[in-house]
Amino acid sequence: MEIDEIILGLDDVLRGNITADLLRNAVEDGSAVLIRGRERSVAVGSSLPVKINTNIGISDKSDPNVEVEKLKLLSSFSFRPDLMMDHTIDREHRDFWKTMVRHFDGPVGTLPHYTIYSPQHGIEKSALIDRITEMLEGGVAFMTLHFTSDPDIYDVARKTRPIPVTSRGGGLVVRDMLRSGRNENVFRAAIADIASVFRKFDATISVGTTYRPPDIFSALDEAHTLETKRQVQIVRELREAGVSVIMEGVGHVQLTDIPRYIAIASKAKCPFMPLGPTTTDSAIGFDHVVNAIGGVTMALAGGAHILNSITREEHTGGVPSLESVVEGLKAAKVAAHSVNVTRFERIKAFDRMTIEQRGKQVSCVVAGGLFNERVDDPRKGCNRCSFECPIVLAPASPIH
């Protein structure tokens, strides 16, 4: 399918959030990318509505049937994620991504090294390229790859931090490097071959972050800053090789440090997907709330174009339940919409419909909204305010 045909069929263009010409120019200069799904492609980047990515996957403590149930439910929602990623680490179910491609109509992403790493052999370059090729041939649209799991940054991080590495994928690459005694991580060693495969399938690389801060006080420390600058270099190298690129980053960071971080990361001039950011380390059990706060702050400042939905289990352990995955998705959706409604007239119209409905019903309790919520008793006032309802006591006059 030609790029113009994809652009003209994108939801953002059809809804009038952006013109086809503006999007085409953004894609050409790398500030936006098109990520292709089985039936629905997604555009991410500057001047576009903020999008949502949701991660699921099978671990050795997961029930595969429950993960399939999560996938089917998430795929059925009118407010379904824009993108989804497979975070499966259980080698017995290493092809869960195929199920995701079959059931989810939008772009599906993976981390190919999750299911090829072994304690005995680490990550073999040939196996990595084969796995990437297999996934792209099978319909995967984008992948997180850890090109910056470099030994010099690891040396800094382990000497200066309580927790040197917080990235699971990046940690595997570091472990492989230490086990093999190589001074170059496997992704960096294979970058030319990787770029060639992604170019062939017109897929997108998300440049991952290995040394993102494990706590709010480590943000913008030496390791974090060094890696972020190196990510920017990798983005430029991949783009020069003709590859579509986005960038991941940050993790834990205080609200006041977000502008400083954006100033460094934005030099990549590509779409950005924060992993959080988590703005306090103390909200254990409420990470989905903290994630929404950090996501709004970063997106409103122009530094985030895809928000990840996370669950309350992020720092409590255990496999997220179906209910908490949906809860996390809703929190991220509210965050993204809160930013989008400030920028796009077609999205403002959605909120205006809710306001008009409240006026017509003479009640602040109305059905619909982002999640098509139902209301048990759609009448004047509500049970909470009863006869003291200010809307009933002072109804609006018709506006002429």
Side-chain angles (χ1 to χ4, degrees):
M1 186 183 294
E2 295 296 326
I3 186 171
D4 284 349
E5 187 178 348
I6 295 173
I7 287 175
L8 290 172
L10 287 174
D11 185 66
D12 287 322
V13 173
L14 293 172
R15 291 180 181 273
N17 294 323
I18 189 171
T19 67
D21 286 342
L22 284 175
L23 179 54
R24 190 179 297 108
N25 291 337
V27 170
E28 287 177 359
D29 68 22
S31 62
V33 301
L34 299 177
I35 307 180
R36 304 186 185 198
R38 176 173 53 82
E39 295 181 1
R40 177 176 53 85
S41 297
V42 173
V44 298
S46 60
S47 303
L48 288 160
V50 178
K51 303 301 194 301
I52 298 296
N53 174 64
T54 294
N55 308 311
I56 60 173
I58 302 171
S59 70
D60 58 353
K61 297 187 183 303
S62 300
D63 181 341
N65 295 323
V66 171
E67 296 305 307
V68 173
E69 186 180 350
K70 288 178 187 175
L71 169 63
K72 290 181 178 179
L73 182 65
L74 290 169
S75 301
S76 71
F77 289 143
S78 60
F79 56 91
R80 65 192 179 281
D82 300 290
L83 312 95
M84 290 188 70
M85 289 196 78
D86 177 19
H87 279 213
T88 293
I89 60 173
D90 183 3
R91 292 171 68 90
E92 185 178 344
H93 299 91
R94 66 197 304 266
D95 290 333
F96 182 61
W97 60 272
K98 293 181 180 178
T99 305
M100 292 182 67
V101 170
R102 284 197 303 271
H103 287 283
F104 186 60
D105 62 347
V108 171
T110 60
L111 294 94
H113 44 312
Y114 270 13
T115 48
I116 63 168
Y117 175 87
S118 73
Q120 294 78 26
H121 304 291
I123 304 172
E124 297 178 343
K125 178 180 174 181
S126 60
L128 177 63
I129 298 299
D130 288 347
R131 185 64 164 162
I132 289 172
T133 303
E134 176 193 9
M135 287 178 161
L136 294 181
E137 285 178 340
V140 167
F142 67 107
M143 297 183 192
T144 296
L145 307 181
H146 292 88
F147 293 98
T148 55
S149 300
D150 294 333
D152 60 330
I153 308 178
Y154 176 68
D155 285 342
V156 170
R158 69 185 181 86
K159 292 175 182 176
T160 59
R161 289 178 168 183
I163 301 174
V165 177
T166 54
S167 165
R168 183 165 67 188
L172 293 176
V173 181
V174 170
R175 191 181 305 173
D176 168 70
M177 191 168 51
L178 296 174
R179 184 202 62 81
S180 64
R182 291 194 305 268
N183 289 321
E184 184 178 42
N185 77 68
V186 66
F187 282 105
R188 185 68 69 88
I191 191 168
D193 293 331
I194 290 170
S196 176
V197 178
F198 273 83
R199 199 166 50 240
K200 174 183 176 182
F201 289 96
D202 196 16
T204 298
I205 291 177
S206 181
V207 177
T209 169
T210 297
Y211 304 102
R212 60 182 182 266
D215 58 80
I216 60 173
F217 305 114
S218 296
L220 294 168
D221 66 1
E222 184 180 359
H224 183 209
T225 302
L226 182 58
E227 182 183 41
T228 304
K229 291 178 178 178
R230 202 161 292 177
Q231 284 180 282
V232 171
Q233 294 172 1
I234 294 293
V235 167
R236 291 171 178 166
E237 184 175 340
L238 290 170
R239 187 180 288 152
E240 288 173 1
V243 180
S244 170
V245 191
I246 65 175
M247 179 172 154
E248 296 180 10
V250 75
H252 297 234
V253 60
Q254 296 179 80
L255 285 170
T256 50
D257 286 335
I258 287 176
R260 290 173 53 211
Y261 176 71
I262 292 174
I264 301 172
S266 63
K267 292 179 181 178
K269 297 181 179 179
C270 72
F272 191 89
M273 180 167 66
L275 305 173
T278 297
T279 57
T280 172
D281 294 303
S282 300
I284 297 169
F286 290 87
D287 281 286
H288 57 300
V289 177
V290 176
N291 183 67
I293 293 170
V296 163
T297 304
M298 196 161 183
L300 198 59
H305 309 100
I306 306 172
L307 302 183
N308 277 282
S309 66
I310 67 172
T311 68
R312 59 176 58 243
E313 288 89 354
E314 184 75 8
H315 291 101
T316 62
V319 176
S321 67
L322 188 151
E323 291 76 16
S324 66
V325 170
V326 174
E327 176 185 61
L329 170 60
K330 287 182 174 181
K333 276 283 184 180
V334 170
H337 182 79
S338 296
V339 176
N340 293 335
V341 78
T342 70
R343 297 174 175 170
F344 302 97
E345 286 301 320
R346 294 298 180 95
I347 296 176
K348 290 180 191 290
F350 190 84
D351 275 47
R352 289 194 178 102
M353 286 191 300
T354 302
I355 296 165
E356 291 169 3
Q357 185 67 14
R358 286 171 175 159
K360 289 176 182 177
Q361 288 185 205
V362 193
S363 175
C364 64
V365 180
V366 297
L370 289 175
F371 311 117
N372 197 26
E373 290 291 321
R374 296 182 179 182
V375 176
D376 293 333
D377 188 13
R379 60 182 177 82
K380 291 185 178 181
C382 71
N383 293 332
R384 185 171 64 251
C385 292
S386 187
F387 65 89
E388 293 187 348
C389 172
I391 306 176
V392 174
L393 290 171
S397 299
I399 299 174
H400 299 289

